[in-house]
Amino acid sequence: MTTVRREAFGLMPPEEGGGEVEKFVLQSDSVRVEILSFGCIITTLETKDRDGQFADVVLGFDTLEGYTRKHPFFGAVVGRVANRIAHGRFSLDGKEYQLFINNGPNSLHGGAKGFDKVLWSPQVLPNGVRFFRLSPDGEEGYPGDLKVWVTYTLSGGELAINYQAQTSKTTPISLTNHAYFNLKGQGSRDVYDHEISIEADYYLPVDDTKIPTGEVAAVQGTGFDLRQPVELGKHLHKFHLDGFDHNFCLHQDQDRRFVARVFHPPSGRTMEVHTTQPGIQFYTGNNLDGSLKGKGGATYPKHSALCLETQNWPDAVNKPHFPNVLLHPGEEYNHTTWLVFNTA
């Protein structure tokens, strides 16, 4: 049985148009998750260890103010296009589009005011909550009126996130949730003792601005081979890696499939990722620097969390040999990711 509760979380600043932000609490016997109508943000995700003790395993803030200020997309839905678009530029039907540049020379996670920084309209469901918004034609430089629905449902230890969209003009779209996980509990110093595996034979090498070079490289014999579980700290050390911020190429298949697993041996907590998406961005919180005050006064230093963002491949709009990222009028964008929490 899942219970759903809604409560007030805060008011948007007047300069942001005001408006009430609500929090939705979904609870099963093994998972408790809190989600905001602002940015569809997962603020809390509590799950049991092998002794039945709950801990909050996602990074975030105690108050709305934390989320309305600049932060690294903690728990948010990002779009229209997750990840990076080279130089914030692309061409469609002979027309050039220029997006806001907010990550070195590139556009990241939707631009200056992406889906993570706006209020969504909520609808309570028996076992979850659905959020809706209309992204108007030209918002952040993207073409077309885009209707977007993001639905969170909780069933036992499984949190499903479904993304649907329809457009009035051809537009690139790639939606994901940017939760930062630490299965020991948020506020823990690092994720070096986490074991990770990703079901991918290929990954995308990137240039020094994190844009894929266009090569689809085999993981075999490299530090990117995560097909068997590795202990993260030892693995980074062994391959002299500063961390991961790379897309792993998943089997191209519209059906649900298992793509990644994180295991924290000391607590027994596990998280499996299943998805219909063609890629997963594995990010180890390389840019966290301890400067943000998080929940309960916690600080979040480098490598204190990891992200597994299911999405299309970065810069796909400029790389014809990458999976199709364009949504046309009359079509529906429909992808789901399932996070399954358990103990081992």
Side-chain angles (χ1 to χ4, degrees):
M1 252 311 272
T2 300
T3 60
V4 183
R5 201 171 76 243
R6 71 193 294 175
E7 52 193 64
F9 188 72
L11 291 171
M12 291 294 291
E15 63 271 19
E16 295 285 331
E20 184 182 30
V21 177
E22 290 185 284
K23 177 170 78 176
F24 297 83
V25 184
L26 318 185
Q27 187 156 5
S28 70
D29 57 355
S30 59
V31 173
R32 182 174 175 277
V33 59
E34 300 182 1
I35 307 155
L36 301 183
S37 57
F38 176 71
C40 304
I41 290 170
I42 295 175
T43 61
T44 301
L45 202 160
E46 294 177 354
T47 179
K48 288 178 179 176
D49 67 9
R50 65 167 66 90
D51 299 322
Q53 298 296 307
F54 278 95
D56 181 4
V57 298
V58 295
L59 276 52
F61 303 103
D62 290 320
T63 64
L64 178 60
E65 192 183 16
Y67 292 107
T68 55
R69 289 198 298 245
K70 186 171 167 54
H71 68 95
F73 305 95
F74 286 150
V77 165
V78 292
R80 258 183 219 197
V81 176
N83 218 306
R84 294 168 180 85
I85 293 178
H87 308 295
R89 278 203 302 271
F90 61 90
S91 289
L92 269 184
D93 303 326
K95 185 177 175 190
E96 276 273 318
Y97 292 89
Q98 179 64 56
L99 311 172
F100 186 78
I101 302 299
N102 62 341
N103 184 256
N106 308 313
S107 185
L108 175 72
H109 292 332
K113 190 176 180 181
F115 290 2
D116 59 298
K117 298 179 183 71
V118 293
L119 266 178
W120 294 63
S121 302
Q123 175 196 353
V124 171
L125 305 174
N127 62 339
V129 57
R130 176 177 293 131
F131 298 102
F132 170 79
R133 82 173 294 253
L134 172 67
S135 171
D137 185 18
E139 182 174 64
E140 287 298 320
Y142 288 98
D145 285 332
L146 187 74
K147 293 178 177 173
V148 192
W149 296 264
V150 177
T151 307
Y152 291 90
T153 49
L154 180 63
S155 175
E158 180 174 281
L159 178 67
I161 313 173
N162 173 257
Y163 308 90
Q164 289 169 277
Q166 298 164 356
T167 186
S168 65
K169 293 179 185 171
T170 301
T171 185
I173 179 173
S174 174
L175 303 177
T176 193
N177 179 283
H178 207 314
Y180 286 68
F181 294 97
N182 186 317
L183 296 187
K184 184 177 181 180
Q186 73 87 28
S188 301
R189 195 184 65 230
D190 59 57
V191 286
Y192 296 148
D193 60 354
H194 288 46
E195 291 178 5
I196 176 93
S197 60
I198 298 178
E199 299 279 304
D201 298 329
Y202 297 91
Y203 79 102
L204 298 182
V206 293
D207 67 18
D208 55 9
T209 75
K210 301 283 193 291
I211 292 288
T213 60
E215 180 191 0
V216 180
V219 300
Q220 182 76 37
T222 74
F224 295 88
D225 191 346
L226 304 176
R227 293 173 295 185
Q228 296 298 317
V230 301
E231 188 178 319
L232 197 52
K234 287 179 180 169
H235 186 79
L236 293 176
H237 182 72
K238 177 183 176 182
F239 287 95
H240 308 291
L241 295 168
D242 185 49
F244 288 93
D245 192 0
H246 295 79
N247 177 80
F248 286 76
C249 308
L250 306 175
H251 296 294
Q252 303 298 298
D253 186 351
Q254 279 299 300
D255 297 328
R256 171 176 175 161
R257 59 211 184 281
F258 165 72
V259 296
R261 185 173 188 264
V262 186
F263 173 46
H264 182 244
S267 69
R269 287 190 185 91
T270 66
M271 179 178 79
E272 284 186 359
V273 183
H274 302 242
T275 193
T276 60
Q277 291 275 23
I280 189 166
Q281 186 83 3
F282 178 37
Y283 174 54
T284 48
N286 312 329
N287 297 321
L288 298 174
D289 59 7
S291 62
L292 289 170
K293 271 275 190 290
K295 289 180 279 194
T299 55
Y300 301 135
K302 182 175 178 174
H303 297 162
S304 60
L306 57 84
C307 304
L308 288 162
E309 304 157 70
T310 53
Q311 57 188 247
N312 206 315
W313 300 5
D315 201 34
V317 71
N318 291 312
K319 297 191 165 61
H321 61 296
F322 282 11
N324 173 46
V325 73
L326 297 179
L327 180 69
H328 301 279
E331 297 175 343
E332 181 171 66
Y333 175 91
N334 192 336
H335 279 290
T336 307
T337 292
W338 296 265
L339 303 175
V340 185
F341 298 93
N342 220 315
T343 54

